[in-house]
Amino acid sequence: MKKQAPLEGLRVVEFLGLGPAPFGCMMLADLGAEVLTLRRPGSELPALVRNRSTLEVDLKDAETLRLVREMAEAADVVVEGFRPGVMERLGLGPDDLSAVNERLVYARMTGWGQTGPLAPTAGHDINYIALSGALHAATRRGGTPMPPANLLGDFGGGAMYLVTAILSAVYERDRTGRGAVLDIGILDGTTYLTSMLHEYRSVGHWSDEPGTNRLDTGAPYYDVYPCADGMFVAIGALEDPFFTVLLEVLGLESELADGRHDPASWPALRERIAAAVLTRTRDEWAEAAGSTDACLTPVLGLAEAPSHPQVRDRDILAADGRGGWTPRLPIGYREEPASADGLVRSWLTQRDRAGRPITS
Protein backbone atom coordinates (compact mmCIF):
# COMPACT_ATOMS: atom_id res chain seq x y z
CA MET A 1 0.00 0.00 0.00
CA LYS A 2 1.45 3.35 -1.05
CA LYS A 3 2.06 5.76 1.80
CA GLN A 4 0.12 9.00 1.57
CA ALA A 5 2.36 11.99 0.89
CA PRO A 6 2.48 14.51 3.77
CA LEU A 7 0.98 17.41 1.77
CA GLU A 8 -1.43 15.41 -0.37
CA GLY A 9 -4.52 17.51 -1.11
CA LEU A 10 -2.79 20.88 -0.66
CA ARG A 11 -3.41 23.01 -3.75
CA VAL A 12 -0.80 25.58 -4.79
CA VAL A 13 -0.85 28.10 -7.65
CA GLU A 14 2.66 29.21 -8.56
CA PHE A 15 3.37 32.23 -10.75
CA LEU A 16 6.68 31.07 -12.14
CA GLY A 17 9.77 33.07 -11.30
CA LEU A 18 13.42 32.27 -10.70
CA GLY A 19 15.45 30.76 -7.86
CA PRO A 20 13.86 30.60 -4.42
CA ALA A 21 10.16 30.47 -5.33
CA PRO A 22 10.56 27.58 -7.82
CA PHE A 23 12.72 25.72 -5.29
CA GLY A 24 10.10 26.23 -2.58
CA CYS A 25 7.28 25.07 -4.84
CA MET A 26 9.38 22.09 -5.93
CA MET A 27 9.74 21.15 -2.28
CA LEU A 28 6.00 21.46 -1.70
CA ALA A 29 5.39 19.25 -4.75
CA ASP A 30 7.96 16.70 -3.56
CA LEU A 31 6.00 16.55 -0.29
CA GLY A 32 2.83 15.74 -2.19
CA ALA A 33 1.13 19.08 -2.84
CA GLU A 34 -0.70 19.68 -6.12
CA VAL A 35 1.28 22.56 -7.62
CA LEU A 36 -0.03 24.24 -10.75
CA THR A 37 2.75 26.38 -12.24
CA LEU A 38 1.69 29.30 -14.45
CA ARG A 39 4.17 30.73 -16.95
CA ARG A 40 4.23 33.23 -19.79
CA PRO A 41 3.40 31.87 -23.27
CA GLY A 42 6.53 30.74 -25.11
CA SER A 43 8.80 31.23 -22.11
CA GLU A 44 11.55 28.75 -21.41
CA LEU A 45 11.36 26.70 -18.26
CA PRO A 46 14.06 27.71 -15.77
CA ALA A 47 15.77 25.29 -13.41
CA LEU A 48 13.85 23.60 -10.58
CA VAL A 49 10.52 23.26 -12.41
CA ARG A 50 10.12 19.53 -12.00
CA ASN A 51 7.57 17.23 -10.42
CA ARG A 52 4.71 19.62 -11.10
CA SER A 53 2.37 20.72 -13.86
CA THR A 54 2.89 23.87 -15.94
CA LEU A 55 0.32 25.92 -17.82
CA GLU A 56 1.00 28.82 -20.19
CA VAL A 57 -1.16 31.85 -19.38
CA ASP A 58 -1.36 35.31 -20.92
CA LEU A 59 -2.18 37.57 -17.99
CA LYS A 60 -2.97 40.42 -20.39
CA ASP A 61 -5.96 38.46 -21.66
CA ALA A 62 -9.20 39.14 -19.76
CA GLU A 63 -10.57 35.61 -20.12
CA THR A 64 -7.28 34.12 -18.95
CA LEU A 65 -7.29 36.43 -15.94
CA ARG A 66 -10.79 35.26 -15.06
CA LEU A 67 -9.62 31.63 -15.17
CA VAL A 68 -6.57 32.41 -13.04
CA ARG A 69 -8.80 34.06 -10.43
CA GLU A 70 -11.01 30.99 -10.38
CA MET A 71 -7.98 28.79 -9.80
CA ALA A 72 -6.86 31.05 -6.96
CA GLU A 73 -10.36 30.83 -5.51
CA ALA A 74 -10.01 27.05 -5.44
CA ALA A 75 -6.42 27.01 -4.17
CA ASP A 76 -4.96 26.83 -0.69
CA VAL A 77 -1.77 28.75 -1.51
CA VAL A 78 -0.62 31.27 -4.10
CA VAL A 79 3.12 31.89 -4.58
CA GLU A 80 4.45 34.84 -6.59
CA GLY A 81 7.92 36.32 -6.92
CA PHE A 82 7.40 39.57 -8.83
CA ARG A 83 8.49 43.04 -7.77
CA PRO A 84 6.12 44.86 -5.40
CA GLY A 85 3.03 46.17 -7.17
CA VAL A 86 3.06 43.89 -10.21
CA MET A 87 0.32 41.55 -9.01
CA GLU A 88 -1.84 44.46 -7.84
CA ARG A 89 -1.70 46.02 -11.31
CA LEU A 90 -2.95 42.72 -12.75
CA GLY A 91 -5.83 42.58 -10.29
CA LEU A 92 -4.26 39.50 -8.69
CA GLY A 93 -2.91 41.05 -5.50
CA PRO A 94 -3.60 39.74 -2.00
CA ASP A 95 -6.67 41.94 -1.49
CA ASP A 96 -8.13 40.89 -4.84
CA LEU A 97 -7.74 37.17 -4.25
CA SER A 98 -8.49 37.14 -0.52
CA ALA A 99 -11.83 38.78 -1.32
CA VAL A 100 -12.90 35.61 -3.14
CA ASN A 101 -11.02 33.10 -0.95
CA GLU A 102 -10.61 34.15 2.67
CA ARG A 103 -8.71 30.92 3.41
CA LEU A 104 -6.02 31.67 0.85
CA VAL A 105 -2.37 31.79 1.95
CA TYR A 106 -0.75 34.35 -0.33
CA ALA A 107 3.08 34.07 -0.31
CA ARG A 108 5.17 36.89 -1.80
CA MET A 109 8.79 35.86 -2.47
CA THR A 110 11.24 38.70 -3.12
CA GLY A 111 14.83 39.55 -2.32
CA TRP A 112 14.39 42.69 -0.24
CA GLY A 113 10.80 42.18 0.92
CA GLN A 114 7.75 44.30 0.14
CA THR A 115 8.86 47.35 2.13
CA GLY A 116 11.99 49.43 2.70
CA PRO A 117 14.07 51.69 0.44
CA LEU A 118 15.47 48.79 -1.62
CA ALA A 119 12.13 46.99 -2.11
CA PRO A 120 11.56 48.26 -5.68
CA THR A 121 15.14 47.63 -6.82
CA ALA A 122 16.78 44.61 -8.40
CA GLY A 123 19.16 42.26 -6.65
CA HIS A 124 20.45 38.71 -6.51
CA ASP A 125 21.59 36.23 -3.86
CA ILE A 126 25.03 37.84 -3.56
CA ASN A 127 23.46 41.23 -2.77
CA TYR A 128 21.07 39.92 -0.13
CA ILE A 129 23.69 37.89 1.73
CA ALA A 130 26.05 40.88 1.57
CA LEU A 131 23.64 43.11 3.50
CA SER A 132 22.77 40.36 6.00
CA GLY A 133 26.38 39.95 7.12
CA ALA A 134 26.42 36.33 5.97
CA LEU A 135 28.76 36.95 3.04
CA HIS A 136 31.26 38.69 5.31
CA ALA A 137 31.41 35.51 7.41
CA ALA A 138 32.63 33.59 4.35
CA THR A 139 35.99 35.33 4.28
CA ARG A 140 39.49 34.05 4.99
CA ARG A 141 41.95 36.26 6.83
CA GLY A 142 43.28 38.80 4.33
CA GLY A 143 41.02 37.37 1.63
CA THR A 144 37.92 38.29 -0.34
CA PRO A 145 34.42 37.16 0.68
CA MET A 146 33.56 33.99 -1.25
CA PRO A 147 29.90 33.54 -2.29
CA PRO A 148 28.77 29.89 -1.84
CA ALA A 149 27.10 29.85 -5.28
CA ASN A 150 23.48 30.91 -4.60
CA LEU A 151 22.85 28.27 -1.95
CA LEU A 152 22.83 30.54 1.08
CA GLY A 153 20.49 33.35 0.04
CA ASP A 154 18.17 31.95 -2.62
CA PHE A 155 17.68 28.53 -1.10
CA GLY A 156 18.74 28.65 2.56
CA GLY A 157 17.40 32.09 3.44
CA GLY A 158 14.76 32.27 0.72
CA ALA A 159 13.14 28.98 -0.28
CA MET A 160 13.37 27.29 3.12
CA TYR A 161 11.93 30.39 4.79
CA LEU A 162 9.16 30.40 2.16
CA VAL A 163 8.17 26.77 2.75
CA THR A 164 8.29 27.14 6.54
CA ALA A 165 6.11 30.26 6.42
CA ILE A 166 3.58 28.62 4.09
CA LEU A 167 3.21 25.50 6.20
CA SER A 168 2.92 27.60 9.37
CA ALA A 169 0.21 29.74 7.77
CA VAL A 170 -1.71 26.68 6.57
CA TYR A 171 -1.56 25.22 10.08
CA GLU A 172 -2.84 28.50 11.56
CA ARG A 173 -5.59 28.71 8.95
CA ASP A 174 -6.86 25.30 9.98
CA ARG A 175 -7.40 26.76 13.47
CA THR A 176 -8.74 30.19 12.52
CA GLY A 177 -10.38 29.61 9.14
CA ARG A 178 -8.54 32.57 7.64
CA GLY A 179 -5.56 32.72 5.33
CA ALA A 180 -2.61 35.11 5.46
CA VAL A 181 -0.39 37.31 3.33
CA LEU A 182 3.27 36.33 3.70
CA ASP A 183 6.01 38.87 2.95
CA ILE A 184 9.04 36.62 2.39
CA GLY A 185 12.35 38.42 1.83
CA ILE A 186 15.64 36.64 1.17
CA LEU A 187 17.40 39.36 3.19
CA ASP A 188 15.14 38.57 6.16
CA GLY A 189 15.61 34.80 5.97
CA THR A 190 19.36 35.01 5.50
CA THR A 191 19.66 37.40 8.43
CA TYR A 192 17.77 34.85 10.54
CA LEU A 193 20.37 32.26 9.55
CA THR A 194 23.04 34.40 11.20
CA SER A 195 21.34 34.08 14.62
CA MET A 196 24.14 32.04 16.19
CA LEU A 197 26.85 34.39 14.92
CA HIS A 198 25.04 37.41 16.36
CA GLU A 199 24.66 35.63 19.69
CA TYR A 200 28.33 34.64 19.73
CA ARG A 201 29.35 38.19 18.83
CA SER A 202 27.27 39.68 21.63
CA VAL A 203 29.07 37.58 24.25
CA GLY A 204 32.53 38.07 22.77
CA HIS A 205 32.88 34.71 21.02
CA TRP A 206 32.83 36.03 17.45
CA SER A 207 34.98 38.69 15.84
CA ASP A 208 34.17 40.73 12.75
CA GLU A 209 37.79 40.30 11.69
CA PRO A 210 37.62 37.58 8.98
CA GLY A 211 39.40 34.30 9.47
CA THR A 212 39.92 34.65 13.21
CA ASN A 213 37.01 32.57 14.50
CA ARG A 214 36.67 28.83 15.00
CA LEU A 215 34.08 28.45 12.23
CA ASP A 216 35.40 30.82 9.54
CA THR A 217 38.71 29.00 8.85
CA GLY A 218 40.43 30.82 11.70
CA ALA A 219 40.88 27.59 13.63
CA PRO A 220 43.25 25.14 11.88
CA TYR A 221 41.04 22.20 12.88
CA TYR A 222 38.07 23.63 10.95
CA ASP A 223 39.34 24.27 7.45
CA VAL A 224 40.02 22.83 4.01
CA TYR A 225 43.48 21.52 3.09
CA PRO A 226 45.13 20.53 -0.23
CA CYS A 227 46.36 16.96 -0.65
CA ALA A 228 49.23 15.40 -2.57
CA ASP A 229 47.14 15.13 -5.73
CA GLY A 230 45.88 18.72 -5.67
CA MET A 231 42.47 17.68 -4.37
CA PHE A 232 41.13 18.73 -0.98
CA VAL A 233 39.87 17.38 2.33
CA ALA A 234 37.64 19.15 4.85
CA ILE A 235 38.54 18.95 8.51
CA GLY A 236 36.05 19.76 11.27
CA ALA A 237 37.55 18.33 14.44
CA LEU A 238 36.19 20.94 16.82
CA GLU A 239 35.77 18.82 19.94
CA ASP A 240 38.74 17.48 21.92
CA PRO A 241 38.00 13.75 21.43
CA PHE A 242 37.65 14.21 17.68
CA PHE A 243 40.84 16.25 17.45
CA THR A 244 42.71 13.49 19.27
CA VAL A 245 41.52 11.00 16.64
CA LEU A 246 42.48 13.44 13.87
CA LEU A 247 46.03 13.60 15.17
CA GLU A 248 46.21 9.80 15.18
CA VAL A 249 44.94 9.58 11.59
CA LEU A 250 47.37 12.26 10.42
CA GLY A 251 50.27 10.61 12.25
CA LEU A 252 50.92 13.67 14.41
CA GLU A 253 52.00 13.65 18.05
CA SER A 254 49.26 13.86 20.65
CA GLU A 255 51.01 16.79 22.40
CA LEU A 256 49.69 19.07 19.65
CA ALA A 257 46.33 18.92 21.40
CA ASP A 258 47.73 20.89 24.33
CA GLY A 259 46.61 24.49 24.17
CA ARG A 260 44.93 24.07 20.77
CA HIS A 261 42.08 26.38 21.80
CA ASP A 262 44.50 29.28 22.20
CA PRO A 263 44.49 31.30 18.95
CA ALA A 264 48.17 32.03 19.50
CA SER A 265 48.90 28.36 18.77
CA TRP A 266 46.88 28.25 15.57
CA PRO A 267 49.52 29.34 12.99
CA ALA A 268 52.02 26.65 14.04
CA LEU A 269 49.32 24.01 14.34
CA ARG A 270 48.02 24.89 10.88
CA GLU A 271 51.48 24.35 9.40
CA ARG A 272 51.74 20.88 10.97
CA ILE A 273 48.29 19.81 9.77
CA ALA A 274 48.87 21.19 6.27
CA ALA A 275 52.22 19.42 5.94
CA ALA A 276 50.72 16.12 7.07
CA VAL A 277 47.77 16.33 4.69
CA LEU A 278 50.12 16.97 1.76
CA THR A 279 51.70 13.55 2.20
CA ARG A 280 48.72 11.60 0.79
CA THR A 281 46.07 11.95 -1.86
CA ARG A 282 42.52 12.98 -1.07
CA ASP A 283 41.11 9.49 -1.51
CA GLU A 284 43.86 7.95 0.59
CA TRP A 285 42.92 10.29 3.43
CA ALA A 286 39.25 9.54 2.93
CA GLU A 287 39.93 5.83 3.30
CA ALA A 288 42.13 6.33 6.34
CA ALA A 289 39.61 8.54 8.15
CA GLY A 290 36.37 7.09 6.80
CA SER A 291 35.50 4.82 9.74
CA THR A 292 36.86 7.12 12.47
CA ASP A 293 35.73 10.21 14.39
CA ALA A 294 38.48 12.34 12.87
CA CYS A 295 35.89 14.53 11.12
CA LEU A 296 37.96 14.43 7.93
CA THR A 297 36.09 14.04 4.66
CA PRO A 298 36.96 14.41 0.98
CA VAL A 299 35.77 17.52 -0.84
CA LEU A 300 33.73 16.02 -3.68
CA GLY A 301 32.52 17.56 -6.90
CA LEU A 302 28.87 17.29 -7.96
CA ALA A 303 29.76 14.47 -10.35
CA GLU A 304 31.55 12.54 -7.59
CA ALA A 305 29.03 12.89 -4.76
CA PRO A 306 26.55 10.25 -6.06
CA SER A 307 29.16 7.50 -5.82
CA HIS A 308 29.98 8.07 -2.16
CA PRO A 309 28.65 5.17 -0.04
CA GLN A 310 26.88 7.45 2.45
CA VAL A 311 25.09 9.36 -0.30
CA ARG A 312 24.07 6.12 -2.00
CA ASP A 313 22.79 4.64 1.24
CA ARG A 314 20.56 7.65 1.93
CA ASP A 315 18.96 7.45 -1.54
CA ILE A 316 19.03 11.23 -1.93
CA LEU A 317 20.13 11.36 -5.56
CA ALA A 318 18.23 9.84 -8.46
CA ALA A 319 19.48 9.43 -12.02
CA ASP A 320 17.84 12.11 -14.17
CA GLY A 321 18.01 10.21 -17.45
CA ARG A 322 20.38 12.79 -18.95
CA GLY A 323 23.59 11.50 -17.46
CA GLY A 324 23.18 13.59 -14.32
CA TRP A 325 21.45 13.41 -10.97
CA THR A 326 18.40 14.88 -9.26
CA PRO A 327 18.47 15.49 -5.50
CA ARG A 328 15.24 14.43 -3.84
CA LEU A 329 13.47 14.19 -0.54
CA PRO A 330 13.16 10.60 0.70
CA ILE A 331 9.55 11.27 1.81
CA GLY A 332 6.55 12.29 -0.22
CA TYR A 333 8.32 12.18 -3.55
CA ARG A 334 5.92 11.99 -6.51
CA GLU A 335 7.47 11.53 -9.93
CA GLU A 336 4.37 11.82 -12.12
CA PRO A 337 2.19 14.84 -11.29
CA ALA A 338 -1.25 15.22 -12.80
CA SER A 339 -1.53 17.17 -16.04
CA ALA A 340 -2.19 20.90 -15.82
CA ASP A 341 -5.55 20.51 -17.58
CA GLY A 342 -6.46 17.72 -15.19
CA LEU A 343 -5.67 19.85 -12.17
CA VAL A 344 -7.70 22.79 -13.48
CA ARG A 345 -10.74 20.58 -14.16
CA SER A 346 -10.42 18.92 -10.77
CA TRP A 347 -10.07 22.17 -8.83
CA LEU A 348 -12.86 24.01 -10.59
CA THR A 349 -15.40 21.16 -10.30
CA GLN A 350 -14.87 20.45 -6.59
CA ARG A 351 -17.45 22.82 -5.13
CA ASP A 352 -19.74 22.67 -2.13
CA ARG A 353 -23.52 22.98 -2.18
CA ALA A 354 -23.28 26.78 -2.06
CA GLY A 355 -21.18 26.73 -5.23
CA ARG A 356 -17.95 27.74 -3.48
CA PRO A 357 -14.73 25.80 -4.13
CA ILE A 358 -13.96 23.07 -1.63
CA THR A 359 -10.62 23.82 0.03
CA SER A 360 -8.58 21.51 2.17
Side-chain angles (χ1 to χ4, degrees), residues 123-147:
H124 283 292
D125 178 297
I126 193 171
N127 307 116
Y128 313 133
I129 68 174
L131 281 196
S132 72
L135 181 57
H136 182 271
T139 310
R140 289 183 176 275
R141 184 194 291 266
T144 302
M146 181 62 187

Short mmCIF file of all heavy atoms in Angstrom, two decimals, residues 123-147:
data_model
loop_
_atom_site.label_atom_id
_atom_site.label_comp_id
_atom_site.label_asym_id
_atom_site.label_seq_id
_atom_site.Cartn_x
_atom_site.Cartn_y
_atom_site.Cartn_z
N GLY A 123 18.09 42.85 -7.43
CA GLY A 123 19.16 42.26 -6.65
C GLY A 123 19.24 40.77 -6.91
O GLY A 123 18.34 40.19 -7.53
N HIS A 124 20.31 40.17 -6.42
CA HIS A 124 20.45 38.71 -6.51
C HIS A 124 21.01 38.20 -5.19
O HIS A 124 21.35 38.98 -4.29
CB HIS A 124 21.35 38.32 -7.67
CG HIS A 124 20.68 38.40 -9.01
ND1 HIS A 124 19.65 37.55 -9.36
CD2 HIS A 124 20.86 39.24 -10.06
CE1 HIS A 124 19.24 37.85 -10.58
NE2 HIS A 124 19.95 38.88 -11.03
N ASP A 125 21.12 36.89 -5.08
CA ASP A 125 21.59 36.23 -3.86
C ASP A 125 22.79 36.94 -3.26
O ASP A 125 22.82 37.24 -2.06
CB ASP A 125 21.93 34.77 -4.22
CG ASP A 125 22.50 33.97 -3.05
OD1 ASP A 125 23.59 34.32 -2.56
OD2 ASP A 125 21.88 32.97 -2.66
N ILE A 126 23.79 37.25 -4.07
CA ILE A 126 25.03 37.84 -3.56
C ILE A 126 24.76 39.18 -2.88
O ILE A 126 25.42 39.54 -1.89
CB ILE A 126 26.05 37.99 -4.71
CG1 ILE A 126 27.44 38.30 -4.15
CG2 ILE A 126 25.61 39.04 -5.71
CD1 ILE A 126 28.53 38.25 -5.21
N ASN A 127 23.78 39.94 -3.37
CA ASN A 127 23.46 41.23 -2.77
C ASN A 127 22.75 41.08 -1.43
O ASN A 127 23.04 41.80 -0.48
CB ASN A 127 22.57 42.04 -3.72
CG ASN A 127 23.16 42.16 -5.11
OD1 ASN A 127 22.58 41.66 -6.08
ND2 ASN A 127 24.32 42.78 -5.23
N TYR A 128 21.83 40.11 -1.36
CA TYR A 128 21.07 39.92 -0.13
C TYR A 128 21.96 39.39 1.00
O TYR A 128 21.87 39.85 2.14
CB TYR A 128 19.90 38.96 -0.37
CG TYR A 128 19.11 39.28 -1.61
CD1 TYR A 128 18.76 38.29 -2.53
CD2 TYR A 128 18.72 40.59 -1.90
CE1 TYR A 128 18.05 38.58 -3.68
CE2 TYR A 128 18.01 40.89 -3.05
CZ TYR A 128 17.68 39.87 -3.94
OH TYR A 128 16.98 40.17 -5.08
N ILE A 129 22.84 38.44 0.67
CA ILE A 129 23.69 37.89 1.73
C ILE A 129 24.77 38.90 2.13
O ILE A 129 25.30 38.84 3.24
CB ILE A 129 24.30 36.53 1.34
CG1 ILE A 129 25.32 36.65 0.21
CG2 ILE A 129 23.21 35.55 0.96
CD1 ILE A 129 26.04 35.34 -0.10
N ALA A 130 25.08 39.85 1.23
CA ALA A 130 26.05 40.88 1.57
C ALA A 130 25.49 41.79 2.66
O ALA A 130 26.18 42.11 3.64
CB ALA A 130 26.42 41.70 0.33
N LEU A 131 24.24 42.22 2.52
CA LEU A 131 23.64 43.11 3.50
C LEU A 131 23.33 42.40 4.82
O LEU A 131 23.27 43.04 5.86
CB LEU A 131 22.36 43.74 2.95
CG LEU A 131 22.50 44.91 2.00
CD1 LEU A 131 21.17 45.65 1.88
CD2 LEU A 131 23.58 45.88 2.44
N SER A 132 23.12 41.09 4.78
CA SER A 132 22.77 40.36 6.00
C SER A 132 23.98 40.11 6.90
O SER A 132 23.82 39.75 8.07
CB SER A 132 22.15 39.01 5.64
OG SER A 132 23.13 38.12 5.13
N GLY A 133 25.18 40.28 6.37
CA GLY A 133 26.38 39.95 7.12
C GLY A 133 26.87 38.54 6.86
O GLY A 133 27.98 38.18 7.27
N ALA A 134 26.04 37.73 6.19
CA ALA A 134 26.42 36.33 5.97
C ALA A 134 27.59 36.20 5.01
O ALA A 134 28.45 35.33 5.18
CB ALA A 134 25.21 35.56 5.44
N LEU A 135 27.65 37.04 4.00
CA LEU A 135 28.76 36.95 3.04
C LEU A 135 30.09 37.32 3.71
O LEU A 135 31.13 36.72 3.43
CB LEU A 135 28.50 37.86 1.84
CG LEU A 135 29.55 37.87 0.73
CD1 LEU A 135 29.79 36.47 0.19
CD2 LEU A 135 29.15 38.81 -0.39
N HIS A 136 30.04 38.29 4.59
CA HIS A 136 31.26 38.69 5.31
C HIS A 136 31.83 37.52 6.11
O HIS A 136 33.06 37.41 6.27
CB HIS A 136 30.94 39.86 6.24
CG HIS A 136 32.11 40.38 7.00
ND1 HIS A 136 32.49 39.88 8.24
CD2 HIS A 136 33.01 41.35 6.70
CE1 HIS A 136 33.55 40.53 8.66
NE2 HIS A 136 33.89 41.43 7.76
N ALA A 137 30.95 36.65 6.61
CA ALA A 137 31.41 35.51 7.41
C ALA A 137 32.12 34.47 6.56
O ALA A 137 32.79 33.59 7.10
CB ALA A 137 30.22 34.87 8.14
N ALA A 138 31.97 34.55 5.25
CA ALA A 138 32.63 33.59 4.35
C ALA A 138 33.90 34.20 3.78
O ALA A 138 34.10 34.28 2.57
CB ALA A 138 31.67 33.20 3.22
N THR A 139 34.77 34.64 4.68
CA THR A 139 35.99 35.33 4.28
C THR A 139 37.18 34.77 5.05
O THR A 139 37.14 34.65 6.27
CB THR A 139 35.90 36.85 4.57
OG1 THR A 139 34.69 37.37 4.03
CG2 THR A 139 37.09 37.58 3.96
N ARG A 140 38.25 34.44 4.33
CA ARG A 140 39.49 34.05 4.99
C ARG A 140 40.26 35.31 5.42
O ARG A 140 40.06 36.39 4.86
CB ARG A 140 40.37 33.22 4.05
CG ARG A 140 39.83 31.83 3.78
CD ARG A 140 40.80 31.05 2.89
NE ARG A 140 40.33 29.69 2.70
CZ ARG A 140 40.58 28.70 3.54
NH1 ARG A 140 41.30 28.94 4.64
NH2 ARG A 140 40.13 27.49 3.31
N ARG A 141 41.13 35.14 6.38
CA ARG A 141 41.95 36.26 6.83
C ARG A 141 42.72 36.84 5.64
O ARG A 141 43.41 36.13 4.90
CB ARG A 141 42.94 35.80 7.89
CG ARG A 141 43.79 36.94 8.47
CD ARG A 141 44.97 36.38 9.27
NE ARG A 141 44.53 35.74 10.49
CZ ARG A 141 44.46 36.34 11.68
NH1 ARG A 141 44.82 37.62 11.78
NH2 ARG A 141 44.08 35.68 12.75
N GLY A 142 42.58 38.13 5.42
CA GLY A 142 43.28 38.80 4.33
C GLY A 142 42.71 38.50 2.96
O GLY A 142 43.27 38.93 1.95
N GLY A 143 41.58 37.77 2.91
CA GLY A 143 41.02 37.37 1.63
C GLY A 143 39.77 38.14 1.25
O GLY A 143 39.39 39.12 1.90
N THR A 144 39.15 37.69 0.17
CA THR A 144 37.92 38.29 -0.34
C THR A 144 36.74 37.41 0.02
O THR A 144 36.85 36.19 -0.05
CB THR A 144 38.01 38.43 -1.88
OG1 THR A 144 39.15 39.23 -2.20
CG2 THR A 144 36.77 39.08 -2.45
N PRO A 145 35.60 37.99 0.41
CA PRO A 145 34.42 37.16 0.68
C PRO A 145 34.11 36.25 -0.51
O PRO A 145 34.17 36.68 -1.66
CB PRO A 145 33.31 38.19 0.91
CG PRO A 145 34.02 39.40 1.41
CD PRO A 145 35.34 39.42 0.66
N MET A 146 33.79 34.99 -0.22
CA MET A 146 33.56 33.99 -1.25
C MET A 146 32.09 33.55 -1.24
O MET A 146 31.66 32.84 -0.34
CB MET A 146 34.46 32.78 -1.03
CG MET A 146 34.30 31.69 -2.08
SD MET A 146 34.75 32.28 -3.73
CE MET A 146 34.26 30.87 -4.74
N PRO A 147 31.30 33.94 -2.25
CA PRO A 147 29.90 33.54 -2.29
C PRO A 147 29.77 32.02 -2.49
O PRO A 147 30.41 31.47 -3.39
CB PRO A 147 29.34 34.28 -3.51
CG PRO A 147 30.34 35.36 -3.79
CD PRO A 147 31.67 34.83 -3.36
#
